[in-house]
Every structure is written in C-alpha cells, then in structure tokens.
C-alpha cells in the first residue's frame, strides 16, 4: 500500500516530488513530528502530512479586475507594481527604540487605465532598513503579483490593502506582452520566489491557506500537497464500503484531496465552516475511532467481576445522614441514589459526576466513601493538586471526626518518613480513607482492601491514572467528579465507559457573582474595591495567569505584584502569596492562613483554580484575563460566591478595546452558567480549552468540534453500535478491530 510505502516522509522525495530535496523532506518531517506530537521523525507518516489541514481557504478562482473592485470587497487582484516607498513612522524617532517602517506599494492594472491601489505592511526591528531596501528590489516596477484580502479606503480615499506579512503576496512570472514595460522582475529576487508557470494553477482557483509549519510557508506547503496528491496512489480506507454508502461519506483518498484542494463545484462557505463533504468524512473518522475504542472498553467492563459489594441498610443511611452539615439539594440526593444503586449492583461502578463549580460534589463523594467504609472497605480520593488534596483532607477530618474511621493524607509533599508511615497504614488496612495526589497511584502504595476510588476534577487526570487506580484494588468501584461541562452525548463517547450523573442545581442561598471587565485605567478603582471588601471583613484573591511559555516571567509578575500590594498599595493589610513553585509545607501554611482569615488578600497563580473553598472570600481580581479560556475563568470565579453575601469578580485586561477580547470577556459578565460559557468559548476559541490537551487523557480533535458536529458524532456512535453491538462477530467488525489497533486513538482502548 502506498501509504505504508511512504511511511517515511523522506520518501516523499523518492515519490518524485521534485521541488523537495531530501534535506527539505527531513525538515518537513521534523516539523510534522512536533506538530503531531510524535517522539521521532522516523514515526512521521504521509498521513501526518495529510492531516495538516488548511486553516482556511481563499477563493482566487477569479481575479477581480481593478475596475470592479470596491471598498469592502475581499478579493484577489492581479496587480503590477508602479512605485514603492519605505517610510519611517512613529512620532518620536527615539534612537533607542527599534525602527518602524511602513512599506507601501502603489500598483495598478496591466493597462494602467485604472486608478492605482496601495498595498502596505509594517517592517520593524533591527535591520528594518535593509529589509525595506530588499522589498524595494523584490517589488521592482512592473512586477506582477497577486494580492488577496479585504480592500478598504484609506484616509486619502484610495483603495488599499493592509497585509500582515508580504509573504501573503504572490509574485507571478512576468508576461511579456508589451503592455506594461518594463516587465521587470528584480534581478536579485531569488528564483524560488517567483512562481513557476506550471504551478500557477496550484496557487489560483480555490486555494488552501496553511498555518506556517516549521519554516514552510503556506505557498510551499501548497506545492508540496499538490505534488503528494499527484504521486500518491489510493489510500487504504479502514471504513467498510457499506458504512460509507449508508452515511453518504467520501472515500478517504478523495476526502483528503478535497479538503486540501476544494473541487470546482465546492460550496466555499461550507469549507469555511468545516462542513464540506470532505470535512465531514474526516470528522466522522475522528469520532468513529474514538467511539469505537470506548465501546470496546465498555464491553470489557461489562464482563468484569464485581470486586466490592457495598450495601447500605436503613440504619446505615441514618448514620450517614448524621454526617451532613446541611440538607442535600434535590440534585445531590438524586445523584447519591444513583451511586448507591451502582454500589450494590454486581458490576463495578464507573460513574462520572458532572456538576458546575460550587454545586457540591465533594459531600456526595464523602457519602459514597462512608458507605464503602461501613462495608469494611478502604476508600481513596485523588485530587489533581496538593492544595486541593489538603483541603479535602481537612474537610474529611472534620466530617468523619466522630465516626472512628482513620483519614490519611498521602502527597508528594510529605517527608519521606511520613510517607512511609502513611503507606504502612494503608497497606495494613489501618487507614480507612486515603486522600492524596498522584502519589496515591505511585509504585509502592498498596491497599489492603480498596473498595471505592474517587477522582476529583477528572479533566486533570489521564485515563491511564484512572486505570492504574483500578489496579490497586480488586476492581474497586470508581467515581469521577468533574466541573467540565461536557455535553451528555459527548461525555458518553469521551468517557465511553462511564455512566454520567449530573448535579444541575446549586445549593440554596447563593447570590450570583457580579462580574465586571475593567481596563488598566480602572486599576485604582479596583484597588478601592478590594479595600472596601476587606473593611467589611471579607477576603480577596488576585490571580495571575501562569503560562508554560513564559512561566518565569509570569511568576515574577505575581511575585512583584505581591510586593507592590504589600509595600505600597495596602501596607496596612496582610497580603499572601501562593504559587506552584513553593514547597508544599509553605503552600499549606499560606492556604491554611487564608482559610483562617489571617490573610486579607491572596495573590496567586492559577494553582487555586480547582476546588479551593474559602467561603469568606468575596472578591476575585483576575489579571490579564484575556489570556485565560472562558471555562477556566469560570472555574476561577467559582472560588468566590460561596457564601450568601454578594461576591464580585473583576476581569482586568489591557486588551479591553479590541472587539474580540471584549466579546469574549463580556460573556463572563452576562452568564454564570458553566455550560453556556463553555459553548461560547468553543465558538470563539475552539475546543482546546474545554477538553484540555491530549495529555489529560481526552482525545483532542483535529477537525471535529464537539458542539458544531454533534450530528456527525451521533451518526458515528450509531455506526459503532452496528458493528460492536449484538451482531459483533461479522468479518467487517474483525477488520475494524484490526484497523483500530493500528491507530493511536486506540491507545485509549488498550487501557483497563
Ligand atoms: P464543587 O462541586 O465545586 O466541588 P464543593 O463540593 O466544594 O463544590 O461545595 C461548594 C460549597 O458548597 C462547600 O462549601 C460546601 O460545603 C457547600 N455545599 C455543598 N452542598 C451544599 C448544600 N446542599 N447546602 C449548602 N451548602 C452546600
Ligand atoms: Mg470540587
């Protein structure tokens, strides 16, 4: 099969792709390895290349002639350079600042009858002067080029186009028809900058626009893809023909080719929306294989023997009720009933509790854990951070204080001797309830009789860890809790093997949080707001984003803010600092002091994002709010508004003026519904935020969008049922299982 043959991208060269040298192929493969998360270049396949999908498309099938061009048109126009100019801009020609130039081309049509238009872009940084000179040569008088984009009137009333980068312009070979002389192309324009006439068709018509891949420009990529499709034979399609026919799906080869090069009859708006037949096929694939793997996993679970049998007598229920510090909401009660039914059933429980921040998942888990302990089993609760584990530990100690059960904490932050002691208590069975972080599932921890394992904030945990936890007992019951609002139909696919319970109600007496977006200019007012809340006896959070790429800088910003607030702004208040790089004993101390009200304002990185519960905190200020995903903001915001008093959330942003930022953050002002926020976030940002990365154990999709493509998802799930349902043994099913094994998506299915 061709695809296997060309398993090495380097083979593209051997495929006879003339414009790609062996060295370039290797570079391409290296860039693809990074892109697809493969550990080595050797594992990159042609499929990885094909899966590098266009970010968008441009319809250049008709160059608009200048006389038809109007302000507001988004169009490709063929132009001829008349003059160029590089003008230094910026009011203050500060010698120390890097120079900034505006490079402007004035260009017209071939016949020079139309009013000229301008095409311009900025050049900045060191050496900008040289770059400007180079552009002047590259776009010498007479050069023919194509400019695509949104044409607008400038202040002089002239039609113009602003481009981000001049690479977006494509220089065409000169036409020597004498109409526009000289038909010069700058002598030192590198040969490869000029379109090979044979390739013009590749760059005209409906063209794909790619994000830059390594050093490969969209133009280069387009040529590579064209060459690949010209050489590539058929691609083996793992989906059975009958399925394709039933679902009206394209073959895989055709789908790939059309997604890169829309055919002549393509409906371009569908392409833009990723709803073309080609996209549909690729989306179907993504959903199908995931659902397939998950269905297999669930099938396996159905035959699992039950490890722990946990039953609660009426008397036991009464004992449980005495643990409750408050009356459960109707939603909590319903979920507790669902869990208890699972616990006494003869299959191991695999249940997901989904509930918005603050809906009260913890107490539900504690009740289930109590039930397990009443039946003589040990039980464990895993949290994604030490801070959260410690908070759960404090809560558990309080709630189970009078029960006689022993609660044990096990985190990586413990001293070696403490860890040893904890581990011994766990393996001997003296510890009834274990609360911890990943340390719980690490080697060397053995339970005597683990009956129920609970995982808090599942989206932080991999499927792998969940599987590992199950191995710690003889098929313990598993309860997973998440605030991530995943549509029910999707949850069934992503969590496949899990049954889902929803807590769709907040405890009574909560006053909705007031959220406001503020610009830098309102900072002083924000500080007055903090002062006011503290004067009322409440507490505040100031949160800083911490992103991987600039971790050190962000940490510095948080630390500097802490200093500024304690020394200059609020010298009379107690300001705490909390971040992930602190030792766990320190973190513990700070968190405990904040919980006890000894700290007024807690400056923190996003380590407080999940689960932290300090009811007296009534104000949260989030710095650089624009850097967060909305779902994450919602999680953060959920740290306040836990008491009956009015709570506030201030989203500070330097970016308040741009419409996208305002639209995004404005959603936070209007909505307090995690589900709605997630949907809006999806629309505006894609789903990365919602589902987390691959690492989190959830598949991230290449093309599929779980909100937009729900219909395709249900079609895929239906098909999976066709093959893995009752008539499982057909020849097609066997082939599908084989194909699934070869796929990465199937990693998920192997676990458990
Ligand atoms: P989450 O679902 O976000 O994990 P928690 O379990 O931390 O929420 O609960 C949030 C807060 O609400 C806690 O302080 C908890 O004690 C409180 N709470 C939970 N259930 C109820 C209830 N039924 N009535 C009153 N308060 C409740
Ligand atoms: Mg929680």
């Amino acid at each position: 099969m061709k695809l296997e043959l060309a398993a090495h991208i380097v083979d593209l060269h051997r495929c006879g792709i003339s414009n790609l040298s062996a060295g370039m192929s290797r570079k391409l493969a290296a860039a693809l390895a990074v892109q697809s998360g493969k550990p080595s270049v050797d594992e990159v396949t042609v499929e990885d290349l094909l899966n590098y999908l266009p970010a968008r498309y441009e319809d250049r099938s008709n160059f608009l002639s200048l006389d038809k061009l109007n302000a507001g048109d988004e169009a490709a126009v063929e132009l001829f350079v008349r003059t160029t100019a590089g003008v230094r801009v910026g009011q203050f020609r500060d010698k120390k600042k890097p120079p900034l130039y505006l490079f402007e081309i004035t260009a017209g049509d071939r016949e020079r009858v139309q009013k000229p238009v301008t095409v311009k872009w900025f050049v900045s940084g060191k050496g900008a002067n040289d770059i400007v000179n180079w552009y002047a040569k590259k776009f010498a008088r007479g050069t023919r080029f194509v400019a695509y984009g949104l044409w607008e009137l400038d202040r002089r009333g002239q039609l113009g186009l602003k481009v981000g980068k001049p690479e977006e312009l494509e220089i065409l070979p000169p036409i020597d028809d004498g109409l526009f002389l000289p038909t010069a192309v700058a002598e030192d324009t590198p040969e490869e900058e000029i379109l090979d006439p044979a390739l013009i068709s590749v760059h005209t018509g409906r063209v794909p626009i790619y994000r830059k891949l390594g050093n490969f420009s969209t133009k280069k990529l387009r040529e590579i893809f064209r060459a690949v499709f010209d050489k590539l034979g058929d691609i083996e399609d793992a989906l059975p023909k009958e399925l394709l026919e039933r679902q009206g799906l394209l073959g895989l080869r055709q789908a790939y080719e059309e997604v890169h090069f829309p055919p002549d009859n393509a409906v371009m708006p569908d392409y833009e929306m990723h709803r073309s037949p080609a996209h549909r096929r690729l989306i179907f694939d993504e959903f199908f294989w995931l659902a397939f793997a998950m269905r297999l996993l669930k099938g396996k679970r159905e035959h699992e023997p039950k490890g722990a049998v946990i039953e609660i007598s009426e008397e036991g229920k009464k004992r449980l009720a005495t643990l409750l510090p408050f009356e459960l909401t109707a939603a909590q009660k319903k979920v507790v009933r669902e869990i208890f039914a699972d616990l006494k059933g003869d299959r191991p429980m695999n249940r997901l509790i989904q509930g918005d921040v603050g809906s009260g998942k913890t107490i539900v888990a504690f009740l289930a854990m109590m039930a397990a302990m009443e039946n003589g089993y040990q039980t464990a609760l895993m949290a994604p951070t030490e801070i959260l584990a410690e908070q759960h530990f404090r809560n558990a100690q309080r709630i189970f204080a009078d029960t006689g059960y022993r609660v044990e904490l096990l985190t990586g932050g413990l001293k070696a001797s403490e860890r040893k002691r904890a581990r011994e208590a766990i393996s001997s069975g003296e510890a009834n309830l274990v609360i911890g972080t990943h340390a719980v599932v690490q080697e060397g921890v053995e339970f005597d009789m683990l009956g129920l394992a609970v995982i808090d904030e599942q989206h932080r945990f991999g499927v792998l860890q969940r599987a590992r936890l199950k191995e710690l007992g003889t098929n313990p019951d598993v309860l997973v809790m998440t605030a991530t609002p995943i549509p029910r139909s999707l949850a069934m696919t992503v969590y496949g093997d899990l049954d889902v319970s929803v807590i769709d109600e907040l405890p009574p007496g909560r006053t909705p949080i007031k959220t406001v977006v503020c610009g830098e200019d309102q900072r002083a007012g924000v500080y007055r707001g903090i002062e006011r809340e503290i004067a009322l006896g409440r507490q505040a959070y100031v949160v800083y984003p911490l992103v991987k790429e600039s971790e050190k800088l962000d940490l510095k910003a948080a630390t500097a803010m802490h200093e500024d607030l304690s020394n200059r702004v609020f010298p009379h208040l107690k300001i705490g600092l909390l971040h992930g790089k602190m030792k766990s004993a320190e973190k513990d101390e700070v968190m405990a002091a904040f919980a006890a009200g000894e700290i007024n304002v807690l400056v923190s990185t996003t380590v407080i994002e999940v689960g932290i519960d300090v009811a007296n905190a009534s104000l949260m200020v989030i710095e650089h709010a624009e850097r967060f995903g909305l779902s994450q903001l919602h999680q953060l915001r959920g740290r306040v508004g836990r008491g009956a008093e009015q709570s506030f959330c201030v989203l500070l942003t330097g970016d308040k003026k741009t419409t996208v930022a305002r639209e995004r953050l404005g959603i936070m002002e209007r909505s307090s519904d995690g589900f709605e926020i997630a949907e809006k976030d999806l629309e505006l940002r894609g789903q990365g935020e919602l589902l987390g990365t691959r690492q989190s154990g959830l598949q991230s999709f290449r093309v599929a969008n779980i909100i937009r493509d729900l219909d395709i998802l249900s079609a895929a799930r239906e098909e999976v049922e066709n093959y893995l349902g009752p008539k499982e043994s057909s020849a097609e099913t066997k082939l599908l299982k084989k194909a699934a094994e070869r796929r990465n998506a199937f990693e998920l299915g192997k676990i458990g």
Side-chain angles (χ1 to χ4, degrees), residues 5-20:
L5 249 187
H8 256 219
I9 277 280
V10 179
D11 283 348
L12 285 179
H13 185 50
R14 262 173 268 151
C15 285
I17 296 168
S18 55
N19 61 359
L20 203 63

Side-chain angles (χ1 to χ4, degrees), residues 18 65 165 199 212 265 278 382 441 466 485 492 547 602 687:
S18 55
S65 59
K165 282 170 295 179
L199 285 175
K212 209 167 177 201
N265 61 357
M382 276 213 294
V441 286
R466 181 149 57 94
M492 289 163 83
V547 284
L602 184 62
Q687 65 212 349

